[in-house]
């Protein structure tokens, strides 16, 4: 039962370190610890049965079961150490399913542990078991706190944490030899009792069971026109997203504050514009560290008694940027949208006893547009240039290649839509939608040579800034305006204030919010608020370029000595093909004046 106690202890310790303790959170964190240790309890039962009924010798039985325990530890928790390292995870094909590399590593460590036990005694083996368990469960959380941008520093951080736990193992083994195995086990039992008491008795945050929960689904590279796009046979490309729109309210003029994921996603989670939270600045091809002191939504909601979880599928959303701060669970998963929705469904099912905020990032529609084969049956494998990103981004290819690249992107959207629908169906079947709000949006759009480029992050035109935004109220809430569209311009920064209002949080976080709640628009379809958008922070060393979009017009400014201004009349020119800046000087001055009113200090183009 030692491994059961170790897993239980470190699972509880991890939640306490994240700030979730006290009577209110106790059912959730206890359930999480029990769920994590359940498989190891079954292994312990099997161990007891083998010891009693097997004809295999006791020592051999113990060696086999100890190896099985390590295999299970690495199979269950090993992903958390591998997932932050994209190259390693891709090499080992790490996803939400069981993988041979993790099993092999666990088996190897188990064999070493049994050999150690024979040489150094059971107390040393017990110390190693507890230390490895702690390294697997708590170690990744420590890594997230110390995570750094540069790869060498990340490797050094990983090594430092590993050496710290190795030193702990040596110290515990030494203590074990002095006091004996039984007393060491009593010490570990006392640790479990202590952390259980602390988790129950510390003054934690309180909440109300009547509060609604919120699920935010952000799909990368999701263009605004994807919801209305049809396939070759006339069927809707994203029918499940349209179904969600029919159940809720759809905003047709939602604008992202940046054309790539990092700054845009943090804006949605913090309610702040990139020019205020500063995440997403690029210097010499590397993201500049941002301010982790910003009050992100996970911590604000935790103080009101909400559980917070995030599952992301891109290295751009690493914990280094503060996105996962104060989340009960925040992890990067590998695989595709099916893996992400499965993880989210499992987490929601286990934490339904208390209100929660859950964030799911789906990155399937981004390059290289490689949907699972069963959803991409029409792929033209002979189009070799369709796989050459450098060629596609530096040229405007012929119509046939453009059509094939867009078709591959559409296949990714169709697959993602299917998985979103599956998640919704499972939540409904399990009765989880009665108190759950769903926000479905994109972190940014995607260019397909409308202005000569492919991808995102390199311009501020509407194909990369406009995204869908759908708000779905809980089932049975007939007072809400189901199946309606709102044409008022809104921004991703408005999502966080909306979630805070749903949680009945009236006071703003310490930082000023740039967004305003959408709930009045959801309820009534209109309000008297003006929501101009300020977008910028390109992914190619150009945070001096920005766009202001408001009331049917958009100004794009490139600051500096060679600065330029572009103005587009979006009502008459939604494709932004005709720059009329020379004719709209008064309108340009008005839009620039908005920056002062909104509290922005941005670089201005030099005259």
């Amino acid at each position: 039962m030692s491994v059961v106690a170790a897993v239980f202890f470190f699972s509880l310790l991890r939640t306490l370190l994240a700030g979730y303790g006290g009577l209110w959170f106790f059912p959730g964190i206890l359930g999480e610890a029990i769920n994590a240790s359940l498989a190891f309890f079954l292994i312990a039962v099997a161990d007891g049965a083998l010891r009693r009924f097997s004809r295999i010798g006791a020592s051999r039985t113990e060696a086999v079961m100890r190896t099985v325990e390590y295999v299970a530890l690495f199979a269950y928790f090993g992903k958390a150490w591998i997932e932050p390292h994209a190259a390693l995870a891709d090499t080992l094909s790490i996803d939400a399913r069981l993988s041979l590399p993790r099993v092999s590593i666990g088996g190897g460590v188990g064999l070493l542990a049994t050999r150690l036990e024979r040489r150094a005694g059971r107390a040393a083996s017990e110390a190693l078991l507890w230390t490895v368990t702690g390294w697997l469960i708590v170690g990744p959380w420590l890594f997230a706190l110390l995570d750094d941008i540069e790869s060498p520093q990340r490797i050094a951080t990983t090594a430092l944490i590993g050496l710290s736990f190795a030193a702990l193992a040596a110290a515990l083994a030494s203590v074990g030899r002095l006091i004996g195995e039984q007393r060491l086990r009593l010490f570990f039992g006392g640790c479990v009792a202590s952390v259980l008491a602390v988790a129950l008795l510390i003054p934690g945050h309180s909440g109300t069971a009547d509060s609604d929960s919120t699920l935010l689904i952000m799909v990368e590279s999701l263009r605004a026109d994807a919801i209305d796009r049809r396939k070759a046979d006339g069927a809707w490309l994203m029918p499940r997203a349209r179904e969600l729109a029919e159940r809720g309210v759809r905003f047709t003029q939602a604008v992202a504050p940046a054309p790539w994921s990092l700054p845009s996603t943090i804006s949605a989670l913090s309610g702040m514009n990139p020019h205020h939270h500063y995440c997403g600045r690029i210097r010499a091809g590397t993201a500049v560290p941002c301010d982790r002191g910003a009050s992100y939504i996970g911590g604000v909601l935790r103080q009101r008694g909400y559980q917070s979880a995030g599952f992301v599928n891109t290295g751009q959303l690493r914990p280094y940027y503060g996105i996962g701060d104060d989340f009960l669970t925040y992890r990067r998963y590998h695989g595709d949208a099916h893996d992400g929705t499965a993880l989210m469904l499992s987490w929601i099912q286990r934490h339904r006893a208390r209100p929660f905020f859950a964030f799911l990032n789906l990155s399937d529609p981004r390059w290289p547009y490689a949907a699972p084969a069963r959803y991409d049956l029409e792929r033209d494998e002979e189009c070799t240039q369709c796989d050459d990103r450098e060629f596609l981004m530096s040229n405007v290819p012929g119509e046939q290649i453009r059509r094939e690249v867009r078709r591959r992107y559409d296949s990714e959207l169709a697959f993602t839509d299917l998985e979103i629908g599956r998640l919704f169906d499972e939540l409904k079947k399990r009765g989880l939608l009665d108190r759950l709000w769903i926000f479905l949006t994109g972190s940014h759009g995607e260019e397909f040579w409308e202005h000569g480029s492919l991808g995102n992050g390199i311009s501020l035109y509407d194909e990369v800034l406009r995204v869908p935004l759908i708000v779905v109220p809980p089932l049975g809430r007939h007072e809400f305006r189901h199946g309606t569209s709102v044409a008022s311009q809104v921004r991703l920064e408005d999502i966080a204030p909306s979630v805070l209002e749903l949680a009945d949080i009236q006071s703003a976080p310490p930082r000023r919010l740039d967004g305003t709640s959408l709930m009045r628009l959801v309820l009534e379809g209109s309000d008297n608020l003006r929501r101009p958008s300020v977008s910028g922070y390109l992914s190619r060393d150009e945070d001096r370029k920005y766009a202001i979009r408001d009331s049917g017009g958009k100004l794009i400014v490139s600051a500096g000595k060679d600065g330029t201004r572009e103005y587009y009349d979006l009502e008459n020119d939604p494709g932004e093909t005709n720059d009329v800046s020379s004719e709209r000087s008064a309108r340009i001055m008005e839009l620039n004046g908005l920056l002062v009113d909104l509290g922005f200090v941005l670089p201005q183009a030099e005259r």
Side-chain angles (χ1 to χ4, degrees):
M1 297 291 287
S2 295
V3 68
V4 179
V7 171
F8 188 86
F9 170 79
F10 285 110
S11 296
L12 276 180
L13 180 62
R14 165 66 184 86
T15 60
L16 290 176
L17 291 173
Y20 291 82
L23 185 61
W24 173 252
F25 286 123
F26 189 74
I29 62 177
L30 180 64
E32 184 77 10
I34 292 174
N35 176 77
S37 56
L38 181 60
F40 301 93
F41 175 77
L42 297 177
I43 292 174
V45 171
D47 184 19
L50 281 174
R51 290 174 185 270
R52 182 170 183 179
F53 300 109
S54 176
R55 295 181 180 179
I56 305 175
S59 60
R60 185 171 297 179
T61 298
E62 187 170 348
V64 170
M65 296 311 298
R66 183 54 55 103
T67 302
V68 170
E69 288 173 346
Y70 277 101
V71 167
L73 281 171
F74 277 85
Y76 198 93
F77 300 110
K79 295 190 298 292
W81 263 118
I82 300 174
E83 286 170 334
H85 306 277
L88 180 61
D90 292 340
T91 301
L92 298 179
S93 299
I94 297 298
D95 54 27
R97 294 171 286 272
L98 188 65
S99 71
L100 181 60
R102 298 203 312 273
V103 170
S104 301
I105 294 171
V109 176
L111 292 174
L112 290 174
T114 57
R115 180 167 294 184
L116 174 67
E117 184 171 319
R118 290 171 185 168
R119 293 189 174 185
R122 293 173 61 89
S125 177
E126 196 80 7
L128 179 64
L129 176 66
W130 273 75
T131 308
V132 169
T133 304
W135 176 75
L136 287 170
I137 297 176
V138 178
W141 179 81
L142 294 173
F143 176 81
L145 293 181
L146 302 173
D147 188 11
D148 207 326
I149 294 285
E150 303 298 333
S151 295
Q153 294 166 321
R154 301 186 80 209
I155 295 172
T157 299
T158 303
L160 176 63
I161 294 172
L163 289 173
S164 299
F165 277 92
L168 176 62
L172 288 175
S174 299
V175 171
R177 283 195 295 270
L178 291 175
I179 67 176
E181 176 197 352
Q182 293 301 322
R183 290 184 178 178
L184 184 64
R185 287 192 174 186
L186 286 175
F187 169 74
F188 287 143
C191 291
V192 173
S194 298
V195 75
L196 195 60
V198 170
L200 178 62
L201 299 176
I202 65 171
H205 299 288
S206 61
T208 170
D210 293 331
S211 299
D212 291 334
S213 299
T214 302
L215 169 61
L216 170 60
I217 304 173
M218 292 192 74
V219 182
E220 294 192 26
S221 302
L222 182 61
R223 291 170 58 110
D225 60 10
I227 305 296
D228 298 316
R229 189 169 173 82
R230 294 182 183 271
K231 296 187 286 189
D233 60 4
W236 294 111
L237 178 64
M238 301 187 72
R240 301 310 305 271
R242 294 185 64 84
E243 178 186 335
L244 291 180
E246 288 300 317
R247 293 176 177 270
V249 176
R250 176 183 174 187
F251 294 92
T252 60
Q253 295 291 325
V255 184
W260 63 294
S261 295
L262 171 60
S264 190
T265 301
I266 292 184
S267 289
L269 292 174
S270 68
M272 299 164 62
N273 188 271
H275 292 94
H276 286 153
H277 63 61
Y278 308 122
C279 292
R281 292 171 296 174
I282 302 294
R283 290 291 181 271
T286 300
V288 176
C290 61
D291 183 2
R292 288 187 70 158
S295 182
Y296 297 114
I297 199 168
V300 176
L301 291 174
R302 176 174 59 84
Q303 295 176 13
R304 189 52 65 95
Y306 278 68
Q307 306 165 100
S308 298
F311 297 93
V312 302
N313 192 20
T314 171
Q316 293 179 6
L317 303 182
R318 285 165 42 198
Y320 175 82
Y321 297 105
I323 305 175
D325 286 3
D326 298 313
F327 276 56
L328 178 61
T329 298
Y330 187 86
R331 56 176 283 200
R332 178 182 179 183
Y333 67 92
H334 284 263
D336 54 31
H338 180 80
D339 299 300
T341 54
L343 287 169
M344 180 56 71
L345 179 65
S346 175
W347 188 90
I348 291 176
Q349 177 68 30
R350 298 196 309 272
H351 295 83
R352 60 188 301 178
R354 291 288 184 262
F356 60 81
F357 169 75
F359 166 56
L360 175 61
N361 159 259
L362 302 174
S363 65
D364 298 69
R366 64 186 298 183
W367 179 268
Y369 313 140
R374 61 188 183 279
Y375 299 98
D376 204 8
L377 298 177
E378 300 176 3
R379 173 178 285 259
D380 182 4
E381 299 292 352
E382 295 183 1
C383 183
T384 57
Q385 289 182 319
C386 294
D387 300 314
D388 187 344
R389 188 180 188 186
E390 184 176 348
F391 167 79
L392 295 175
M393 294 188 69
S394 58
N395 297 275
V396 179
E399 181 180 352
Q400 184 176 351
I401 293 178
R402 295 201 306 271
R403 189 187 309 117
E404 170 63 13
V405 172
R406 183 64 190 268
R407 194 207 59 74
R408 294 182 181 187
Y409 167 79
D410 287 348
S411 296
E412 290 276 31
L413 291 180
F415 166 64
T416 303
D417 179 75
L418 185 73
E419 290 302 319
I420 292 172
R422 186 181 66 85
L423 174 61
F424 181 86
D425 292 342
E426 287 295 325
L427 291 171
K428 182 179 180 181
K429 182 166 48 176
R430 302 183 191 191
L432 295 167
L433 292 178
D434 296 337
R435 304 303 303 267
L436 179 64
W437 287 82
I438 299 176
F439 287 69
L440 172 62
T441 188
S443 56
H444 55 80
E446 194 84 339
E447 293 186 65
F448 288 97
W449 297 284
E450 290 89 349
H451 291 86
S453 300
L454 170 70
N456 58 77
I458 55 179
S459 76
L460 294 171
Y461 298 108
D462 268 11
E463 52 264 28
V464 287
L465 293 185
R466 283 190 56 220
V467 294
L469 176 56
I470 298 170
V471 181
V472 185
L475 290 182
R477 300 290 183 87
H478 300 296
E479 69 270 26
F480 295 101
R481 304 167 58 254
H482 300 280
T484 59
S485 294
V486 176
S488 302
Q489 177 172 295
V490 297
R491 306 150 303 185
L492 292 188
E493 299 98 303
D494 299 329
I495 292 176
S498 304
V499 175
L500 294 178
E501 181 174 341
L502 289 173
D504 197 27
I505 298 177
Q506 304 298 329
S507 59
R511 299 294 182 89
R512 168 183 172 177
L513 298 186
D514 297 307
T516 53
S517 175
L518 300 171
M519 297 317 299
R520 185 171 177 182
L521 287 175
V522 172
L523 288 167
E524 303 176 12
S526 63
D527 61 20
N528 58 2
L529 296 178
R530 187 181 183 184
R531 293 181 173 86
S533 68
V534 178
S535 304
Y537 275 50
L538 306 189
S539 63
R540 293 188 175 182
D541 301 322
E542 292 187 66
D543 58 8
R544 291 174 61 82
K545 188 171 185 176
Y546 60 90
I548 313 169
R549 193 182 193 277
D550 181 49
S551 302
K554 183 163 73 174
L555 171 66
I556 301 176
V557 177
S558 298
K561 293 182 178 180
D562 299 325
T564 59
R565 293 182 175 88
E566 303 170 57
Y567 180 83
Y568 298 98
D569 180 354
L570 298 178
E571 293 183 357
N572 299 307
D573 181 24
E576 298 168 287
T577 59
N578 184 25
D579 175 14
V580 293
S581 56
S582 61
E583 307 167 15
R584 302 293 179 90
S585 57
R587 178 66 171 141
I588 290 173
M589 290 182 62
E590 178 189 357
L591 289 176
N592 270 322
L594 278 176
L595 295 174
V596 178
D597 298 336
L598 296 171
F600 287 92
V601 180
L602 302 183
Q604 297 294 309
E606 299 178 12
R607 298 182 182 277

